[in-house]
Amino acid sequence: MALAAAARAAAAERQEATSRLAAWRDRLVAGVVERAGAGVRPTVARGEATLPGIAHLSVRDVPAEALLVILDERGVAASPGSSCASGAARPSHVVEAIGVEDPWRRGACACRWGGAPPTRRCAAAAVVGDAVAELQRAVAGAGR
């Protein structure tokens, strides 16, 4: 009986933690979009199945590698496109398979925070949004 009660408690705790992380992920994505503008959007549509501790973003016309360097310097864990594309020279086949168009696919990345404390997670939206906006300005300036 005690084992069954412990299993129920663990399942309830896991569901609560999952819901909390998913809500935070959605706020992070919304904050990045608000801060960086129309040149960034969620890679995975809201309501689609995705892990709660990963925020997938696509940045138009910005190479993911450049974004990853800046995010790494600023303490945000991220990878290009999808996990199975890490280290690949071309955009993620997974991101392509879910229908992300080419100008957005190049800048697809996944930000992870796992068990980071809430204060660090709250700062991530500003860090990611600022990094995206910075790169967009650099790309726009280079195109002149």
Side-chain angles (χ1 to χ4, degrees):
M1 260 208 188
L3 181 59
R8 281 191 300 276
E13 185 178 316
R14 183 182 66 240
Q15 183 58 43
E16 181 183 318
T18 298
S19 295
R20 210 173 33 251
L21 280 173
W24 188 86
R25 175 204 57 225
D26 293 344
R27 285 193 305 273
L28 173 119
V29 170
V32 171
V33 170
E34 179 181 318
R35 216 169 167 100
V40 65
R41 67 182 188 192
T43 305
V44 180
R46 188 177 177 105
E48 292 293 324
T50 185
L51 294 173
I54 301 174
H56 294 271
L57 300 165
S58 291
V59 183
R60 184 178 178 87
D61 297 323
V62 171
E65 295 78 18
L67 180 58
L68 297 179
V69 168
I70 290 176
L71 292 178
D72 184 55
E73 290 171 352
R74 297 177 187 179
V76 176
S79 64
S82 62
S83 297
C84 54
S86 293
R90 63 182 294 277
S92 165
H93 66 281
V94 173
V95 174
E96 182 178 2
I98 63 171
V100 176
E101 303 89 7
D102 187 51
W104 294 92
R105 191 172 34 236
R106 288 182 20 167
C109 71
C111 300
R112 294 166 175 75
W113 56 88
T119 52
R120 182 151 181 231
R121 287 186 250 149
C122 291
V127 170
V128 176
D130 290 348
V132 167
E134 183 179 317
L135 279 170
Q136 288 171 326
R137 284 191 300 274
V139 168
R144 291 183 188 153

